[in-house]
Amino acid sequence: MITVHGITASRAFRPLWVLEELGLPYHQVARDFRGDALDEPSYLALNPNGRIPTLVDDDLVLWESMAIDLYLARRYSPPGELWPDSAVGEALAWQWSFWVMTEVEHALLSVLMHRRILPEARRDADKVKRNLGLLRRPFGVLEQTLAKRPFLAEPRFTIADLNVAAVLSWCIPARVSLAEHPAMAAWLKLCLARPARKRAQQAEPDLDTDS
Ligand SMILES: N[C@@H](CCC(=O)N[C@@H](CS)C(=O)NCC(=O)O)C(=O)O
């Protein structure tokens, strides 16, 4: 049985979405990043970083959301679905997955934190402005790419699209306008409308963090 540690409203959402796309049975342990659940010795034995998500698949214990997603798709996707068809498609999936983590995630999370998540007194409008500025170039890169092709790695939705869209989904709560990026906005809407993504969001977690 595959187990995912992490509440749905966290980066654990990424592997939950992949598992729903794949239609695999899995068990979710709704471990929250607020509180002590990530400091429990039994959890630190799985993920010494003290972060979520962590995947357990038989003898394999894996952390880092993008690595988990790529592993699940590589191992379990039927041909012609979530995993790309060729070495070139795989290379593009790695490229876009690394790209979204290094070029987008940090800046977008900062906008989200300082616009919506932090208590009002701790929000910093300068950080929002600076990080929106930092996002301009990578958003332009994605816009140019998606103006020329429908999806990132193959002519269909693959793990490359899922990984990038899962991070960019923060644009919605962060109220980041994509009006200047119409191809990216249309692609993101299509990705986020997938039934598997909606099922993942409604996943009924197991609240027992000791399991
Ligand atoms: N690069 C990691 C980041 C994991 C991460 O930071 N997760 C957050 C929750 S979304 C967390 O566990 N935070 C706990 C903490 O910072 O103490 C990944 O993508 O899996």
Side-chain angles (χ1 to χ4, degrees):
M1 172 63 87
I2 292 172
T3 299
V4 175
H5 290 260
I7 53 168
T8 304
S10 76
R11 289 172 177 88
F13 172 69
R14 300 168 186 175
L16 294 174
W17 184 3
V18 179
L19 286 162
E20 290 292 341
E21 290 282 352
L22 294 169
L24 290 174
Y26 64 89
H27 174 68
Q28 180 186 5
V29 180
R31 209 172 274 284
D32 201 332
F33 54 85
R34 295 154 296 198
D36 302 331
L38 306 191
D39 297 324
E40 288 171 13
S42 62
Y43 185 64
L44 288 172
L46 293 176
N47 187 341
N49 301 290
R51 300 207 194 277
I52 48 174
T54 301
L55 179 91
V56 183
D57 184 11
D58 288 332
D59 290 341
L60 174 69
V61 178
L62 199 62
W63 24 265
E64 283 301 323
S65 56
M66 294 286 135
I68 295 170
D69 285 8
L70 290 163
Y71 160 75
L72 287 171
R74 165 72 179 78
R75 174 143 190 207
Y76 293 110
S77 171
E81 295 188 15
L82 211 52
W83 189 247
D85 305 330
S86 66
V88 170
E90 290 179 19
L92 290 171
W94 300 329
Q95 171 190 279
W96 286 110
S97 302
F98 283 114
W99 173 85
V100 80
M101 293 300 277
T102 53
E103 303 291 336
V104 175
E105 196 198 45
H106 181 75
L108 185 53
L109 182 58
S110 180
V111 175
L112 177 60
M113 296 301 289
H114 287 277
R115 268 192 176 162
R116 296 295 301 282
I117 309 278
L118 289 173
E120 300 248 353
R122 289 183 52 206
R123 294 184 195 173
D124 182 341
D126 286 343
K127 285 199 174 150
V128 172
K129 196 172 164 204
R130 187 158 53 85
N131 283 294
L132 285 174
L134 289 175
L135 288 170
R136 217 167 278 139
R137 175 169 275 199
F139 279 17
V141 169
L142 190 56
E143 175 65 18
Q144 282 166 25
T145 302
L146 291 167
K148 286 187 261 165
R149 52 186 300 157
F151 295 103
L152 295 173
E154 296 286 351
R156 64 173 190 276
F157 178 88
T158 67
I159 193 67
D161 303 283
L162 189 154
N163 278 348
V164 174
V167 174
L168 286 174
S169 67
W170 286 343
C171 286
I172 297 163
R175 298 195 181 117
V176 173
S177 166
L178 298 182
E180 288 176 21
H181 302 95
M184 179 179 156
W187 163 89
L188 185 59
K189 195 170 169 193
L190 201 69
C191 293
L192 298 183
R194 292 180 67 83
R197 183 244 177 188
K198 295 188 173 170
R199 285 197 301 276
Q201 247 172 349
Q202 289 153 9
E204 283 288 326
D206 174 357
L207 294 172
D208 175 7
T209 55
D210 290 330
S211 55

